[in-house]
Amino acid sequence: MNDTSGDMNHVGKVDGVFTNKSQLISIVQLDYTRKSKILWPEDPQCSWMEVRFGVELKRAWLLSFPRSGNTWTRYLLEAATGLFTSSVYNSTHLRGLGYLGESEPPWRGTTFTVKTHSFESLIRHPHLPVVAIIRSPARAILSYWNLSNMKLAWRRFRGSVKDASYKTGGFHKFVRERLEKWKSTYVNALRNTTRLHLVYYEHLREAPLREVRAIMTFLGMKPSESRLACLARHLEGVAKGSQREMYPYTAWERASFQRAITQVDTLARLRGFPPLPDYRRYRN
């Protein structure tokens, strides 16, 4: 990343030009006094790419139900923008994986987006833009159960629980409770935000760069083609969870999924967003 500042404060413009379309950020400065991260030091074509903290950045929420691709989206955005993202959760594990903005206070203005799974955060700051990631509830809940039952922290993003656990009463109670949370997360976002952008996880997996461009445009940033070209070579990231092939749901649960999906889809269409994906096409 080129340092174009030349001033005494060691701050400079990010590799990318910010527009005024969303009035989120008109100019971005980087803090060269703090630790940065080199994304792909082993790739000679892309070893120049680093991620840094910003200075006086405006906040934006990255909202999702758990296990809907939030952490992977942060990886994509950090690579595409050169700016760290943060979270309201302060995960030691994610900091160890290189998400250096994880422990950064969201109000400090040093990160590009702030991860949250709770609509309560949005209620306290209704003026902030929201990027909401929506994944099939059946797939997200399956992955969430897997994560919740991993006893070893280092296995939580990659390991898998035994298949027998999906046949227990505890699992089906988990499904009922978490489906209500999935629905309320997106119903509240669609009903109570003024600046909202939806990302459908299934589309993100199919065309990551296209979706990243759309997020950046919504947040007022013109993508850097050189950064995106390198990102195209390293799309996987370091914290994508295991993808389970099973579908251990009862007929009643499947019908419940469809009712929740229909409600969210109806609200999305009313706000002018594209319809939710046909989740019958997706098994991961």
Side-chain angles (χ1 to χ4, degrees):
M1 186 178 298
N2 297 324
D3 181 354
T4 60
S5 63
D7 61 23
M8 299 300 292
N9 294 322
H10 300 284
V11 296
K13 294 181 181 178
V14 72
D15 184 13
V17 179
F18 281 72
T19 72
N20 293 321
K21 180 176 180 181
S22 72
Q23 298 182 341
L24 173 65
I25 302 171
S26 59
I27 189 169
V28 166
Q29 293 179 315
L30 300 176
D31 187 346
Y32 284 88
T33 67
R34 300 187 62 185
K35 184 178 181 180
S36 66
K37 178 179 71 174
I38 301 297
L39 286 167
W40 308 297
E42 304 301 322
D43 183 345
Q45 296 186 42
C46 300
S47 59
W48 58 273
M49 281 188 59
E50 62 182 355
V51 185
R52 288 189 176 273
F53 289 101
V55 178
E56 296 183 354
L57 301 180
K58 299 291 181 65
R59 276 181 291 169
W61 297 111
L62 192 61
L63 170 72
S64 72
F65 178 81
R67 308 307 291 165
S68 296
N70 200 308
T71 301
W72 182 46
T73 302
R74 289 175 62 189
Y75 165 80
L76 297 174
L77 290 176
E78 290 189 359
T81 65
L83 293 165
F84 284 120
T85 62
S86 59
S87 164
V88 300
Y89 301 109
N90 192 8
S91 166
T92 302
H93 180 70
L94 289 181
R95 288 204 310 274
L97 290 177
Y99 289 84
L100 301 188
E102 178 69 15
S103 59
E104 198 74 359
W107 46 261
R108 187 169 287 176
T110 57
T111 58
F112 184 55
T113 59
V114 182
K115 169 183 176 178
T116 182
H117 297 313
S118 171
F119 190 76
E120 296 300 319
S121 302
L122 280 63
I123 293 175
R124 291 194 295 270
H125 305 278
H127 61 290
L128 297 181
V130 178
V131 176
I133 309 167
I134 303 179
R135 184 185 185 186
S136 158
R139 306 313 305 178
I141 290 172
L142 190 70
S143 182
Y144 194 10
W145 171 261
N146 186 78
L147 177 74
S148 300
N149 286 274
M150 277 290 143
K151 295 181 179 180
L152 298 177
W154 63 269
R155 295 193 63 208
R156 299 188 80 196
F157 288 91
R158 292 288 187 179
S160 298
V161 298
K162 295 180 179 180
D163 290 353
S165 73
Y166 297 99
K167 301 176 182 179
T168 63
F171 170 70
H172 294 289
K173 179 183 177 186
F174 184 90
V175 172
R176 293 191 299 273
E177 295 172 346
R178 296 311 185 271
L179 178 59
E180 185 60 32
K181 173 63 175 177
W182 182 93
K183 182 178 71 174
S184 66
T185 296
Y186 301 115
V187 166
N188 282 325
L190 286 160
R191 286 178 174 169
N192 300 297
T193 59
T194 57
R195 300 167 64 189
L196 177 67
H197 176 77
L198 298 185
V199 177
Y200 300 146
Y201 172 81
E202 290 74 16
H203 294 173
L204 181 66
R205 290 198 66 187
E206 292 173 345
L209 296 186
R210 180 192 68 199
E211 298 300 319
V212 166
R213 285 178 185 274
I215 296 171
M216 294 174 69
T217 298
F218 170 71
L219 295 179
M221 187 176 190
K222 182 179 179 180
S224 162
E225 297 303 322
S226 58
R227 295 191 73 92
L228 290 180
C230 280
L231 177 56
R233 297 162 56 90
H234 302 277
L235 290 171
E236 183 68 14
V238 295
K240 284 181 69 177
S242 59
Q243 307 297 325
R244 303 303 302 270
E245 296 295 331
M246 61 191 314
Y247 200 81
Y249 298 113
T250 66
W252 183 89
E253 288 166 345
R254 297 182 190 208
S256 298
F257 289 145
Q258 192 54 53
R259 286 192 295 271
I261 291 166
T262 298
Q263 185 172 353
V264 172
D265 180 70
T266 299
L267 291 173
R269 292 174 189 248
L270 286 173
R271 286 199 57 170
F273 293 108
L276 270 62
D278 180 359
Y279 292 127
R280 293 170 298 183
R281 296 179 49 222
Y282 300 96
R283 285 296 185 182
N284 55 34

